[in-house]
């Protein structure tokens, strides 16, 4: 059989024998061969087995063809059953042939081969343990078993690699296919291999875990065998899907096989190298490699592998990591993942990673910081650390702290996240809280959104895990801290008084100074000449003459104390000569070094030293009194330490509270950022702060409430969820307790809440009551109990309860409708005058059941006129007219609104109400006596007259409110009802008419539909009907409203006579509401209203008038259009509240296209520099919104510049530059820039002053100049060239050239530089000199060309007509002179002497004329 494989052996000696010599059926021969004389060497590549190898090395001679493989595999299967796993020795070549033809043979054949190999390996795993344990294997048997192991493992690994490659190739090919059948087929094959792959790995693990190393000589397993197994495992790891959750069993099996190889087969270094390579080439394997290294370190005990891999990564240079494909991201992820698995094993080698913190790779810096964080959380935390651990912890924390200010935003963000984990794990030392929190607050202003988010998260973690009391603010903590600090100071003073003063004995001092004194004495005695001694002695002798021996001894001791040793020695020698009998110096009879030193020592220490040392024996026991005093001292020291700790705690708490307050202030402003994720984090922070009862946290919760109206669904959902979490998910043992908690928390939020906050909260509470909830009934019951007084509660909480009931009524009308009697009896009954605020909130609650709020369609819901509610309301309003309650006004406005929303005939009710109120006022005046005109002034001291003026003001306010809501009632309710009835009528007619009638009128209806007259004519008729009522009936003689109009005009036009503040304010507001009724009333009184606006001394009147004029502009735009400059003039009002109102009203009118944008917008631009920040922000918002309109700011800029640079205005240069810088930031289009350059250059011709030139030049420099703009600047050279001598013009133009040069291409850059030289030449030499030089050059060139060229005829040399002139005559560019307006007459208020009352109104010639009527496409209805 030629295709049969042979076992061949190379024999070197004559006695060599073997089984390979046969040429027949070698399988049988080898089976009979009992002497295993060959060795199987694991090849590097598959083809190596076909080549002749070393002595006794196994070689495959023939390879089976694919057709022969099935039969030989059957033989292999039979041999496996009969002979067991050792049959692989005979049938190796069969499986080898399958590997050789792996790409061509069928998948089923390969799967059968794989199954046989698995059985072989399993058989070896079962048979080998008993043989290895017995230790009775002969050399031949050992070699036989070893060859079987190596052959089976080699074949299994190689076949596994091939199948894995086929699987990956198949998944890549079939991935984009769309056919279901192909997907199913391929998926089945892949799924089958996934299960077989795990089986293969389990078999290998089972075999390799045995002690098969004893099969090798000296238990040294060759590297090729290890590489064969590990290469297969690494090949499997390269599968892109190995990291998926479904492949976790396979992944774990690979890790276990490699773990066995690392532990038992000396594969640690190879594994380190391979892990680094896998990370470099397969980024997705970072997590898998980390899990593998962790398992090898912890489960297999090879801890050194962690350090080896860390060293390999640590030795990577920055240049190497910067290269593409370096695997830096994989290294980073690997280290981060590994630190979460085995942080303890990383600590010994962590220093090798710290070098990457100074590198350029941000990813590596992130990884190292995360490693440090995990180590700090998992290992270096707690109070049981030794000194080394604390040192490491502090060093790591310092490193992290430095990188909070890293140059890369990603690193800064991740470090903050690491700190969040540290704080959440309570691993941050208390002493670092304030410092890290201060850094986190600083990062709130980071330009990176990710850093801001991370900083907010860290601050929230600080609040959630702080050891201090967050409930107290820094202000609350200040007094306790001062008190305890003073107490500590007092205790320290007491302790310092009692404590013995630490005194250094003279003997100790002498011992310290003795070496220097000895050296001085020696140098004195060894002086070179007696002249020096005599000189020193003479200097000292002068002072000794007048002193006694005792004084001299004291002086010597002082010299010694002041380190004047030589003077002390000299004086001592001199004193002996003067006082030889003195006991102080008697020892100096023989002057030498010892006697001098002893004398100086005795003089310095004195006799007390020896007496003190001898007075008390050292072994004398202490007295009981001393022991008791010692215990008392220890107790006081303990108290002092406790006090010091308390003071330090209070200081830390105060610092923490200050940082929290700073953070809250910044994060509250971040709630309105445009970045959704930042807003969401800010909302979560506010929720966390509120849950932990942080001081001032309610302000953030309230500030985020308007975000329920956000157009961003994510932001809106975040706010709604936050309020649900805080207020709508209460904690409690029972439903009743939960309801009480919910009501209590919502009531606290409602207390002192603004109108905007209440409206926003309505949206959330309505949603709560709209959804079915078990708490709804209990919550409503608790609210009614609070409101009705069944439960004792404050007035504020009672008002909050009734408002919450109104919010519930929006979802369910019956909540309020069924309890109207309760509302009337509690809040609108006899005690209504005691609390008008409660009455007002009750009226607001009742309004929620009306159709206007609920926006319901169908038959309008209204109550009859004789309903008890309306009698209570009218009585409360009328009684309040003659009272001086400050809250009556707001109650009245809401009550009149409710009457018109809910009553059947509100006009009749209000007419009777006005009659009743006027009668009560007249009765009050009659009782108090008729006042004369002088008593109506504010100078009157009569309190009764003051009361009557206030009452009259309240009556006029009532009239204005009735007039306003009457018009609203007609245009909204009546008009809507007319449309509804018309619709019902048309539906009935359509149902009643048959098909015959429809055919008869078919032609007419088609014509009407084509002309658009089907519904339009009916709507116009209804609108005309409403307008006619307003024109003719509302102020007719029989109507109550008409009675008060002359009185309103009289009060408004005579401020001198009616100077009461409240009366004037109410009259002006009521007059403006009357003017809303019809154009006739508006025209008749518009001049009077603008007179009040300009000349009233009361800011509140001017502000109210601006608001009223804004409403009138919407309703009657053509009447108000000529008065637009007067409205803009209020932007310059001296009062900030008036300016604020003016900018708010004008912003609404301009942005809603009600008012035309004109040059007066320059007054808005001036407000960009207003001292009030709120006004500045509104002005900035005005221009931001205006810039969204096409070319609006572009069209206005020239006029704004002209007005602001007008010398008569006198604006400072800095202010002008600031305003222009903001306005020019909106010019972004090249075409706009080019056009503005031309317009601004042309204005140089008309500018008269140097300041105007400078302003124009600065404006040019603020433009984002482009190439087209530069060319236009060159074309307009004649406009500004004569002004270049001025520095204020030259410098801005020079800055334009500098900007253009930066980003210019070479050709364009040359043009810019040439033009810059021209600018500089004109600036330095003057335009005339430069032009004369240019003319001379042109003449020279002309004469040169005439000499070289043929002269032309005279006619040809004659210049063309008009060519010498400029394109445009200068007279065309001159701005026409401003016509002087006729001087206005002086308008004065009427005096108390009774001057003509009409003098306060503008004269006819002051009234602006209608210039441009504003056409309206449809009738404008009254705005609310």
């Amino acid at each position: 059989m030629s295709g049969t494989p042979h076992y061949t052996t190379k024999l070197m000696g004559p006695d060599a024998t073997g089984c390979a010599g046969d040429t027949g059926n070698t399988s049988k021969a080898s089976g009979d061969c009992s002497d295993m004389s060959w060795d199987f060497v694991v090849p590097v590549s598959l083809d190596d087995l076909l080549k002749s190898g070393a002595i006794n090395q196994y070689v495959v001679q023939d390879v089976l063809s694919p057709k022969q493989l099935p039969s030989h595999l059957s033989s292999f299967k039979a041999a496996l059953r009969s002979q067991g796993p050792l049959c692989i020795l005979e049938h190796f070549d069969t499986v080898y042939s399958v590997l050789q033809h792996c790409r061509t043979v069928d998948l089923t054949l390969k799967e059968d081969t794989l199954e046989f190999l698995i059985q072989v390996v399993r058989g070896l795993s079962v048979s080998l343990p008993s043989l290895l344990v017995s230790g009775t294997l002969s050399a031949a048997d050992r070699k036989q078993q070893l060859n079987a192991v190596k052959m089976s493992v080699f074949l299994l690994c190689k076949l596994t690699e091939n199948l894995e490659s086929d699987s990956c190739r198949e998944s890549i090919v079939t991935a984009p296919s769309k056919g279901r059948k192909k997907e199913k087929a391929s998926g089945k094959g892949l799924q089958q291999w996934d299960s077989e792959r795990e089986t293969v790995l389990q078999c290998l693990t089972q075999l390799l875990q045995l002690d098969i190393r004893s099969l090798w000589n000296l238990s040294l397993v060759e590297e090729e065998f290890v590489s064969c197994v590990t290469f297969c495992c690494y090949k499997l790891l390269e599968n892109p899907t190995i990291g998926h959750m479904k492949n976790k069993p396979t992944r774990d099996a690979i890790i276990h096989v490699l773990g066995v190889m690392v532990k038992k087969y000396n594969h640690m270094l190879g594994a380190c190298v391979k892990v680094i390579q896998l990370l470099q080439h397969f980024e997705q394997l970072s997590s898998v490699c980390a899990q593998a290294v962790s398992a090898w370190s912890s489960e297999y005990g090879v801890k050194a592998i962690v350090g080896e891999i860390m060293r390999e990564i640590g030795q990577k240079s920055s240049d190497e990591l910067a290269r593409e494909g370096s695997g830096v991201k994989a290294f980073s992820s690997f280290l981060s993942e590994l630190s979460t698995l085995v942080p303890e094993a990383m600590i010994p080698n962590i220093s090798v990673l710290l070098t990457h913190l100074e590198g350029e790779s941000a990813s590596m810096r992130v990884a190292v910081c995360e490693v440090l964080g995990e180590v700090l959380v998992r290992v270096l935390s707690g109070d049981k650390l030794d000194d080394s651990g604390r040192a490491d912890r502090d060093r790591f924390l310092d490193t992290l702290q430095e990188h909070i200010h890293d140059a890369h935003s990603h690193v800064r963000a991740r470090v903050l996240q690491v700190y969040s984990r540290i704080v959440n794990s309570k691993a941050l030392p208390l002493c670092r809280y304030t410092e890290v929190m201060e850094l986190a607050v600083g990062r709130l202003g980071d330009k990176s959104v990710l850093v801001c988010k991370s900083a907010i998260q860290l601050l929230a973690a600080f609040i959630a895990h702080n050891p201090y009391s967050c409930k107290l603010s820094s202000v609350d903590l200040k007094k306790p801290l001062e008190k305890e600090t003073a107490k500590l100071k007092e205790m320290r003073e007491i302790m310092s008084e009692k404590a013995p003063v630490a005194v250094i004995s003279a003997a100790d001092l002498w011992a310290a100074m003795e070496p220097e004194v000895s050296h001085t004495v020696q140098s004195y005695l060894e002086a070179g000449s007696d002249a020096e001694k005599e000189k020193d002695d003479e200097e000292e002798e002068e002072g000794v003459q007048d002193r006694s021996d005792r004084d001299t001894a004291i002086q010597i001791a002082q010299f010694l104390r002041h380190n004047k040793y030589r003077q002390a020695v000299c004086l001592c020698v001199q004193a002996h000569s003067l006082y030889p009998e003195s006991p102080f110096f008697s020892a100096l009879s023989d002057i030498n070094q010892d006697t001098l030193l002893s004398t100086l020592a005795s003089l310095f220490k004195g006799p007390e030293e020896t007496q003190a040392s001898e007075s008390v024996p050292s072994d004398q026991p202490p007295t009981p009194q001393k022991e008791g005093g010692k215990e008392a001292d220890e107790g006081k020291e303990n108290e002092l330490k406790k006090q010091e700790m308390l003071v330090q705690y209070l200081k830390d708490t105060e610092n923490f509270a200050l940082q929290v307050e700073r953070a809250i202030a910044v994060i509250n402003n971040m709630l309105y950022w445009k970045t959704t994720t930042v807003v969401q984090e800010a909302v979560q922070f506010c929720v966390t702060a509120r849950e932990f009862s942080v001081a001032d946290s309610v302000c953030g919760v309230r500030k985020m409430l308007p975000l329920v109206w956000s157009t961003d669904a994510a932001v809106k959902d975040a706010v709604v969820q936050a309020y649900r979490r805080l207020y709508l998910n209460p904690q409690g043992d029972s439903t009743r307790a939960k309801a009480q908690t919910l009501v209590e928390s919502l009531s606290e939020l409602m207390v002192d809440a603004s109108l905007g906050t209440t409206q926003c909260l309505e949206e959330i509470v309505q949603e709560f009551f709209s959804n079915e909830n078990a708490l709804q009934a209990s919550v409503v019951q608790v609210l009614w109990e609070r409101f009705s007084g069944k439960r004792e509660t404050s007035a504020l909480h009672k008002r909050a309860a009734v408002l919450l009931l109104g919010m519930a009524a929006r979802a369910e009308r019956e909540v309020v409708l069924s309890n109207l009697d309760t509302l009337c009896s509690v809040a609108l009954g006899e005690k209504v005058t005691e609390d008008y605020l409660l009455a007002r909130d009750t009226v607001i609650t009742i309004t929620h059941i009306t159709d206007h709020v609920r926006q319901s369609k169908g038959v309008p819901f209204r109550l009859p006129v004789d309903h008890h509610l309306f009698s209570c309301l009218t009585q409360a309003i009328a009684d309040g007219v003659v009272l001086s309650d400050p809250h009556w006004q707001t109650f009245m406005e809401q009550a009149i609104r409710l009457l018109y929303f809910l009553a059947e005939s509100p006009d009749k009710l209000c007419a009777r109400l006005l009659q009743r109120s006027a009668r009560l006022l007249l009765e009050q005046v009659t009782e108090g006596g008729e006042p004369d005109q002088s008593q109506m002034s504010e100078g009157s001291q009569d309190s009764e007259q003051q009361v009557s003026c206030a009452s009259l003001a309240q009556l006029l306010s009532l009239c204005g409110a009735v007039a306003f809501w009457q018009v609203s009632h007609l245009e909204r309710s009546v008009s809507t009802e007319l449309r509804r009835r018309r619709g019902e009528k048309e539906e009935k007619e359509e149902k009643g008419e048959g098909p015959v009638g429809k055919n008869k009128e078919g032609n007419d209806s088609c014509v009407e539909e084509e002309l658009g007259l089907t519904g339009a004519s009916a709507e116009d008729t209804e609108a005309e009907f409403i307008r006619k009522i307003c024109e003719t009936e509302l102020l007719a003689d029989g109507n109550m409203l008409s009675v008060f109009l002359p009185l309103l005009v009289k009060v408004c036009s005579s401020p001198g006579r009616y100077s009461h503040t409240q009366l004037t304010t109410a009259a002006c507001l009521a007059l403006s509401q009357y003017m809303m009724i019809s154009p006739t009333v508006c025209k008749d009184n518009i001049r009077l209203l603008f007179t009040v606006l300009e000349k009233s001394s009361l800011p509140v009147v001017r502000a109210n008038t601006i608001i009223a004029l804004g409403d009138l502009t919407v309703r009657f735009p053509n009447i108000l259009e000529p008065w637009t400059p007067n409205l803009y003039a209020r932007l310059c009002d001296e009062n900030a509240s008036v300016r604020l109102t003016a900018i708010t009203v004008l912003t609404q009118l301009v942005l809603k296209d009600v008012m035309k944008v004109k040059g007066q917008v320059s007054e808005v631009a001036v407000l960009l520099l207003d001292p009030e920040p709120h006004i500045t922000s509104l002005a900035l918002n005005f221009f931001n919104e205006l810039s969204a309109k096409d070319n609006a700011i572009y069209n206005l800029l020239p006029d704004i510049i002209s007005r602001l640079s007008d010398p008569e205005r006198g604006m400072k240069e800095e202010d002008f530059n600031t305003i222009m810088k903001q306005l020019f930031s909106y010019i972004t289009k090249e075409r706009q820039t080019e056009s503005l350059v031309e317009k601004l250059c042309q204005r140089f011709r008309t500018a008269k002053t140097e300041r105007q030139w400078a302003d124009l030049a600065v404006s040019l420099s603020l433009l984002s100049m482009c190439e087209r703009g530069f060319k236009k600047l060159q074309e307009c050279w004649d406009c500004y060239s004569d002004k270049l001598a001025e520095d204020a013009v030259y410098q801005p133009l020079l800055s334009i050239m500098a900007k253009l040069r930066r980003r210019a291409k070479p050709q364009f850059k040359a043009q810019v530089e040439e033009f810059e030289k021209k600018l500089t030449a004109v600036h330095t030499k003057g335009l005339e000199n430069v032009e004369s030089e240019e003319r001379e050059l042109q003449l020279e060139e002309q004469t040169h060309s005439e000499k070289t060229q043929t002269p032309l005829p005279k006619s040809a040399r004659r210049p063309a007509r008009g060519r010498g002139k400029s394109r445009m005559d200068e007279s065309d560019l001159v701005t026409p002179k401003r016509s002087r307006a006729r001087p206005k007459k002086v308008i004065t208020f009427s005096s108390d002497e009774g001057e003509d009352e009409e003098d306060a109104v503008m004269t006819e010639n002051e009234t602006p004329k209608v210039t441009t009527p504003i056409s309206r496409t449809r009738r404008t209805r009254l705005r609310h």
Side-chain angles (χ1 to χ4, degrees), residues 266-283:
N266 198 24
H267 180 59
M268 189 184 78
L269 294 178
C272 294
V273 174
K274 195 61 183 178
V275 165
I276 298 296
Q277 291 176 354
L278 288 174
L279 291 174
Q280 285 179 328
H281 297 96
F282 302 96
E283 187 177 329

Side-chain angles (χ1 to χ4, degrees), residues 743 746-751 783 786 794-807 838 841 845:
V743 170
L746 286 177
S747 299
E748 288 295 335
L749 196 63
M750 292 289 294
V751 171
L783 289 173
R786 283 188 167 221
S794 63
L796 289 173
H797 286 87
K798 187 179 287 188
R799 285 168 47 203
V802 74
L803 287 174
L804 290 170
L805 285 169
M807 297 175 190
L838 179 62
D841 293 342
T845 294

Side-chain angles (χ1 to χ4, degrees), residues 18 59 87 107 156 181 196 403 407 472 518 529 588 671 704 794:
V59 178
C87 69
L107 178 64
L156 182 60
K181 292 182 179 179
E196 292 295 332
H403 287 273
L472 299 177
S518 176
S529 64
L588 292 174
L671 286 167
M704 73 180 179
S794 63

Side-chain angles (χ1 to χ4, degrees), residues 916-932:
R916 182 175 180 180
S917 302
R919 191 183 305 113
L920 288 173
L921 178 61
L922 290 173
E923 290 175 0
Q924 183 193 43
V925 173
T926 304
E927 292 174 1
E930 186 69 28
D932 57 14

